[in-house]
Amino acid sequence: MMTAFNKIQLIGILCSITGSSGLLCYSCNDIRISEDCMNAVECTGREECFTRADGYINGSVLYTAGCTYDMVPVGQRSQTFCSEVCNENLCNLDKCQLPVSPRCNITRPPRCLSCDLIEDPAQCKNLVQCQSDEMCFVRKVVIYGNTRYRLGCMNLQHCSAAPKQSSPSPALVGKCSDGTDSSCSLCCSEDHCNIKSCGSQRISVSDDHIYDLHLLKDERTCMDFNPTACAAFGSLNKEACKAIANVDNLCPASCGMCGHYGWTEWGEWSACSQSCNDGTSVRYRICVHQLDAARNQTCVGTGSDTKNCSIQPCAGIFHLKYELIPKVF
């Protein structure tokens, strides 16, 4: 007969098996600086993230990071002088005073999770280091009736210049919403902040580090090239945009590509090609692709525009004729 204590134990075991996903932790062995670790793993059960610092007889210090259950593993070939645990996603890279490379001081661009059309940001384990002109982004989209997320690095020109609710960048056609949850269509400037802003493991992120994501507004030209085929793909496989090659190119609207590519505003008109009489003036615009996944998408229309111009009539050339008339005295 099962006692009350046994029942509690069984419930605890079942919860650990069927509960939510575990923490996401950095996992690397024998690193010297934090930039050496770009691997993340999902812990199991009640595991927490840990970092351990091991000192060696030659004076070097190597760091180990990963998942642990209750007790931090101790190195066997060294003297462990620091071991720390934490219980938030990707929290263990700044423990035990793990050094940061001098070239990556406080001005280092953020590290971001990068995944395309994932069910929950918390499931993303692919870490990328953004470039100096990028920050993290996350966007919630609906693909064939299912909520999905895009995460990665985004060029700063597509993120507002000031935290939240800033006006759109004048260089872009406009800002549009994905129609689901505007709070999950954003940029952010802290490490890993794009898995903290949306989804099941959403936590508070400082407003000082959250920015509006400016989607390229091109609804008029962003459409499925074959709506009937695109609908059929979705009825066959809800994950068709990822599972079937080139479906996202054929069905950009169904696959949530709209907003990630489009034209910039027209540039200024050039000077007239002629200094006088009739000439032409030209202006240009650029087809912008926010994501690598949208690189194969083509903006409908032309990238240049011309018009006739006329500044002033050219000065006429006159040929004067002189006729000698005899003078009568």
Side-chain angles (χ1 to χ4, degrees):
M1 182 175 179
M2 183 176 292
T3 65
F5 177 74
N6 294 139
K7 290 181 179 179
I8 294 174
Q9 282 186 316
L10 179 59
I11 292 173
I13 294 172
L14 291 175
C15 288
S16 67
I17 294 174
T18 62
S20 60
S21 58
L23 285 175
L24 193 64
C25 301
Y26 280 101
S27 180
C28 295
N29 295 319
D30 297 337
I31 59 174
R32 297 181 182 276
I33 57 176
S34 61
E35 285 69 39
D36 290 340
C37 187
M38 289 294 290
N39 182 53
V41 297
E42 183 179 336
C43 300
T44 60
R46 293 169 53 196
E47 286 184 320
E48 296 178 302
C49 304
F50 85 92
T51 297
R52 188 186 74 230
D54 298 326
Y56 293 84
I57 194 170
N58 61 1
S60 64
V61 177
L62 297 179
Y63 297 82
T64 299
C67 302
T68 185
Y69 178 75
D70 287 341
M71 182 179 293
V72 175
V74 176
Q76 300 297 320
R77 50 195 171 90
S78 61
Q79 180 179 357
T80 298
F81 63 88
C82 176
S83 59
E84 294 183 14
V85 296
C86 54
N87 57 4
E88 293 182 359
N89 280 331
L90 299 170
C91 60
N92 55 330
L93 208 60
D94 60 351
K95 301 302 179 182
C96 288
Q97 298 182 343
L98 179 57
V100 176
S101 170
R103 69 180 184 276
C104 296
N105 51 25
I106 58 174
T107 63
R108 173 179 66 80
R111 289 180 170 191
C112 308
L113 277 297
S114 179
C115 293
D116 195 44
L117 301 183
I118 197 167
E119 293 185 16
D120 191 320
Q123 297 174 351
C124 185
K125 302 174 182 62
N126 181 43
L127 279 164
V128 294
Q129 175 64 63
C130 292
Q131 301 298 315
S132 59
D133 59 349
E134 295 176 328
M135 66 172 66
C136 304
F137 91 95
V138 57
R139 183 192 179 193
K140 180 180 178 181
V141 295
V142 176
I143 307 297
Y144 290 122
N146 297 312
T147 298
R148 295 291 182 266
Y149 296 87
R150 283 195 162 100
L151 302 89
C153 296
M154 181 63 66
N155 192 285
L156 296 177
Q157 68 172 317
H158 304 301
C159 303
S160 59
K164 279 307 248 183
Q165 306 305 321
S166 173
S167 59
S169 169
L172 302 177
V173 171
K175 172 188 169 185
C176 62
S177 170
D178 55 35
T180 53
D181 185 353
S182 61
S183 66
C184 283
S185 183
L186 54 86
C187 303
C188 53
S189 59
E190 294 181 325
D191 283 348
H192 332 123
C193 57
N194 54 345
I195 66 166
K196 302 175 183 178
S197 304
C198 300
S200 63
Q201 297 193 16
R202 180 173 182 169
I203 63 174
S204 175
V205 178
S206 171
D207 288 343
D208 294 338
H209 300 279
I210 298 179
Y211 304 80
D212 289 323
L213 171 62
H214 299 161
L215 301 175
L216 297 171
K217 193 173 183 180
D218 199 16
E219 294 95 338
R220 182 177 60 85
T221 59
C222 183
M223 60 186 69
D224 292 340
F225 293 98
N226 189 331
T228 302
C230 294
F233 288 136
S235 63
L236 291 173
N237 187 347
K238 296 297 184 182
E239 305 298 329
C241 295
K242 293 178 63 176
I244 304 176
N246 298 320
V247 168
D248 54 347
N249 295 331
L250 180 66
C251 313
S254 294
C255 291
M257 284 293 180
C258 296
H260 290 307
Y261 71 99
W263 292 109
T264 61
E265 289 185 345
W266 287 107
E268 298 292 332
W269 286 104
S270 68
C272 194
S273 61
Q274 301 294 331
S275 59
C276 61
N277 286 347
D278 295 333
T280 57
S281 181
V282 64
R283 61 178 181 173
Y284 299 95
R285 61 180 179 175
I286 300 173
C287 184
V288 175
H289 300 85
Q290 289 184 339
L291 308 176
D292 288 339
R295 292 294 177 191
N296 293 329
Q297 302 294 341
T298 302
C299 296
V300 177
T302 178
S304 62
D305 187 22
T306 59
K307 68 176 181 178
N308 295 328
C309 55
S310 180
I311 299 178
Q312 61 185 2
C314 292
I317 300 176
F318 300 95
H319 299 280
L320 300 178
K321 294 183 178 181
Y322 296 91
E323 182 177 356
L324 297 176
I325 302 175
K327 184 176 183 181
V328 180
F329 294 94

